[in-house]
Amino acid sequence: DQQVKQNSPSLSVQEGRISILNCDYTNSMFDYFLWYKKYPAEGPTFLISISSIKDKNEDGRFTVFLNKSAKHLSLHIVPSQPGDSAVYFCAASGWEKAGTALIFGKGTTLSVSS
Amino acid sequence: KAGVTQTPRYLIKTRGQQVTLSCSPISGHRSVSWYQQTPGQGLQFLFEYFSETQRNKGNFPGRFSGRQFSNSRSEMNVSTLELGDSALYLCASSHATGMRTEAFFGQGTRLTVV
């Protein structure tokens, strides 16, 4: 039973365009969401996070949007660059599990072509 | 500031053996959590330690265990190895002192069971 779902296994985007990665969750107790980027044979790298009290958080080219009523979040990368090509994971945690027990989606592979 | 360090990077073990993996968190981080990444299941939470106590546990059999030392370093042990235990094992550390904070990952230990 997947509590965090990334329904698109892959996404291809041209350099300079916007990349939009989506994530859905089912557990209404989740209150903190994170996005990680991962290259092969490396650990995930933290990108950006958002608390459930917000609906948007920006950091440079990365913006995360949270729609609590739809239990949906998205990561926007503008403009996309070839170096952004990686696997992107959405993760969530909730108050019933204090600390950093993160539940991950299965990832979306982003390919940015020049 | 040094990142999360995991040793060893690669390991080959035989079915039935046991293995111990090590993780040194970022200085000042008191929470260490462990994850298993496999192609089929993605990133799955194993357990989290905070101040030498297991604070959260995922849905893994008792063959998977861990501990944390007073300097926050952590070890993970898998006994009676099975072929299905072949995976990338990732350790993450965070402040996790009650507020939601991001977890920072090490590069992982690639375990192959033959």
Side-chain angles (χ1 to χ4, degrees), chain A residues 36 38 43 94-95 98 100 102 106, chain B residues 31 35 37 40 56 94 100 103 106:
Chain A
Y36 285 86
K38 187 178 184 301
W95 281 112
T100 51
L102 298 176
K106 294 201 173 182
Chain B
S31 166
Y35 295 82
Q37 185 182 21
N56 284 300
S94 73
R100 297 301 188 196

Side-chain angles (χ1 to χ4, degrees), chain B residues 21-69:
Chain B
L21 312 181
S22 180
C23 173
S24 293
I26 293 170
S27 177
H29 285 190
R30 294 165 63 190
S31 166
V32 173
S33 48
W34 289 88
Y35 295 82
Q36 180 195 66
Q37 185 182 21
T38 58
Q41 297 299 320
L43 273 155
Q44 292 188 288
F45 172 74
L46 280 154
F47 30 66
E48 182 207 8
Y49 286 86
F50 183 80
S51 294
E52 301 179 66
T53 301
Q54 188 179 87
R55 183 158 69 171
N56 284 300
K57 189 176 189 306
N59 296 323
F60 278 80
R63 300 186 297 107
F64 292 82
S65 63
R67 59 177 175 168
Q68 187 180 33
F69 302 95

Side-chain angles (χ1 to χ4, degrees), chain A residues 31-32 34 36 38 41-46 49 89 93-106, chain B residues 9 31 33 35 37 40-43 45 48 55-57 88 90 94 96 98 100-107:
Chain A
D31 68 340
Y32 189 64
L34 309 90
Y36 285 86
K38 187 178 184 301
E42 292 186 11
T45 301
F46 170 74
S49 62
F89 290 95
S93 68
W95 281 112
E96 80 277 16
K97 282 188 179 294
T100 51
L102 298 176
I103 308 301
F104 281 86
K106 294 201 173 182
Chain B
R9 288 292 310 278
S31 166
S33 48
Y35 295 82
Q37 185 182 21
Q41 297 299 320
L43 273 155
F45 172 74
E48 182 207 8
R55 183 158 69 171
N56 284 300
K57 189 176 189 306
L88 181 66
L90 291 157
S94 73
R100 297 301 188 196
T101 60
E102 57 271 18
F104 295 91
F105 283 82
Q107 290 192 294

Side-chain angles (χ1 to χ4, degrees), chain A residues 2-22:
Chain A
Q2 263 191 284
Q3 297 186 70
V4 177
K5 297 177 186 178
Q6 294 177 256
N7 292 318
S8 298
S10 62
L11 175 68
S12 294
V13 170
Q14 281 194 315
E15 182 179 8
R17 301 286 191 123
I18 184 172
S19 294
I20 300 177
L21 297 104
N22 294 304

